[in-house]
Amino acid sequence: MNNLEDQAKIDNATAQQVAQSDMAAASAAMDGVAAAALRSVLQRVQQAAERAGRGSQHIRVVAVSKTKPVSVIRQVYDAGHRCFGENYVQEIVEKAPQLPEDIEWHFIGNLQSNKAKPLLAGVPNLAMVESVDDEKIANHLNRAVGNLGRKRLKVLIQVNTSGEESKSGVEPSACVELAKHVNQNCPNLEFCGLMTIGMLDYSSTPENFKTLTNCRSEVCKALGIPEEQCELSMGMSNDFEQAIEMGSTNVRIGSTIFGPREYQKK
């Protein structure tokens, strides 16, 4: 009986080791896929830039890693990438300390006022907030940067170019006033440009991007700055090539690099 029990324990331990090995192999395979996907994306960015007569070195690729584990992000980092984006404060605050400090983090999600300070305190290497959509959040970020003694924070103003109620962003007609507010009343913030999220309908995307380009012209004229100094963050996995051809300087690419999102079941 004891021999049978001992053998059962051995078999069980062996099964667990095999399962762990299979999981590790699957994880490594997934990581390798992400690194390969990154290389493919960078090549497509270069080709889109060439079609538009632009240099790909002027286009930033933000690898959007929401819901993805630190191990996979690290593999993309090891492949040479340094710019990553997250949508949720809790997630970026948990991940950032586990990863190298030379990562350039972008926060690209809807940001609540009471999350501004935790975001800045928890991610010292936060390079940019792309989703400033009203004066209140701009003021909170400005105050938090000052209180924490950080260097000026780069920000983009999010514009709702599609008019969809489900999307955040200031109305196109109000983006000039918000840009002025950031520029004149938020000394701890550096206004760097505009951001938008295109519609899921691929055929509607060009109009969204054209609207953002028009907003840039109006903002630059109002602020008295050259358009080359005003970034356009537009284009994601399904439309980044078209966005680059229409002038985007910053593309946010998630699933094409990392695969489908992995949301926990409630």
Side-chain angles (χ1 to χ4, degrees):
M1 185 71 178
N2 287 339
N3 288 338
L4 290 174
E5 289 178 353
D6 290 343
Q7 185 61 47
K9 289 178 181 178
I10 292 171
D11 291 343
N12 187 44
T14 302
Q16 287 181 340
Q17 289 175 349
V18 169
Q20 289 173 353
S21 177
D22 288 345
M23 288 174 64
S27 177
M30 179 174 62
D31 295 344
V33 167
L38 169 70
R39 290 190 288 271
S40 175
V41 163
L42 294 177
Q43 185 176 28
R44 290 168 64 187
V45 166
Q46 183 176 351
Q47 292 168 346
E50 288 173 355
R51 288 195 295 272
R54 304 170 61 199
S56 60
Q57 71 272 18
H58 301 302
I59 300 163
R60 182 192 300 109
V61 174
V62 182
V64 182
S65 49
K66 69 178 181 181
T67 79
K68 297 300 175 178
V70 167
S71 61
V72 179
I73 300 172
R74 183 63 197 238
Q75 288 294 331
V76 175
Y77 173 91
D78 289 343
H81 203 65
R82 293 294 180 270
C83 187
F84 294 85
E86 288 285 345
N87 290 64
Y88 304 110
V89 172
Q90 182 178 351
E91 197 167 348
I92 190 172
V93 166
E94 289 176 357
K95 290 177 179 178
Q98 302 178 59
L99 289 157
E101 294 179 359
D102 64 336
I103 283 180
E104 176 187 317
W105 287 105
H106 284 222
F107 186 78
I108 61 176
N110 180 251
L111 182 61
Q112 297 174 323
S113 298
N114 65 340
K115 300 286 186 175
K117 187 173 181 179
L119 171 65
L120 292 168
V123 190
N125 50 333
L126 182 71
M128 180 180 283
V129 172
E130 297 198 18
S131 46
V132 173
D133 59 3
D134 61 28
E135 291 186 6
K136 183 179 179 183
I137 192 62
N139 293 341
H140 277 271
L141 285 169
N142 181 65
R143 193 176 306 118
V145 172
N147 290 340
L148 292 166
R150 290 178 51 122
K151 67 178 182 180
R152 291 176 75 200
L153 175 70
K154 294 180 179 181
V155 298
L156 302 181
I157 288 174
Q158 183 174 351
V159 184
N160 187 341
T161 56
S162 64
E164 296 171 278
E165 291 184 8
S166 60
K167 285 183 179 158
S168 301
V170 66
E171 292 294 319
S173 60
C175 68
V176 168
E177 286 306 309
L178 183 51
K180 282 182 177 179
H181 176 79
V182 171
N183 212 36
Q184 297 170 3
N185 302 318
C186 300
N188 298 316
L189 305 182
E190 179 184 351
F191 170 73
C192 291
L194 308 173
M195 181 268 258
T196 196
I197 299 173
M199 296 179 72
L200 289 176
D201 175 9
Y202 185 81
S203 63
S204 301
T205 292
E207 287 305 311
N208 298 164
F209 295 165
K210 186 176 180 181
T211 297
L212 196 70
T213 302
N214 293 339
C215 287
R216 176 173 67 176
S217 298
E218 295 173 6
V219 166
C220 289
K221 183 178 180 181
L223 298 182
I225 60 175
E227 291 193 7
E228 304 83 66
Q229 288 185 16
C230 187
E231 290 203 44
L232 290 181
S233 176
M234 56 189 197
M236 300 189 293
S237 284
N238 65 330
D239 54 17
F240 70 89
E241 289 155 307
Q242 190 164 21
I244 290 169
E245 291 175 21
M246 295 184 70
S248 179
T249 61
N250 189 88
V251 291
R252 310 174 306 272
I253 303 177
S255 57
T256 299
I257 295 174
F258 292 104
R261 305 295 182 214
E262 298 171 1
Y263 295 107
Q264 293 181 347
K265 294 180 180 180
K266 295 182 178 179

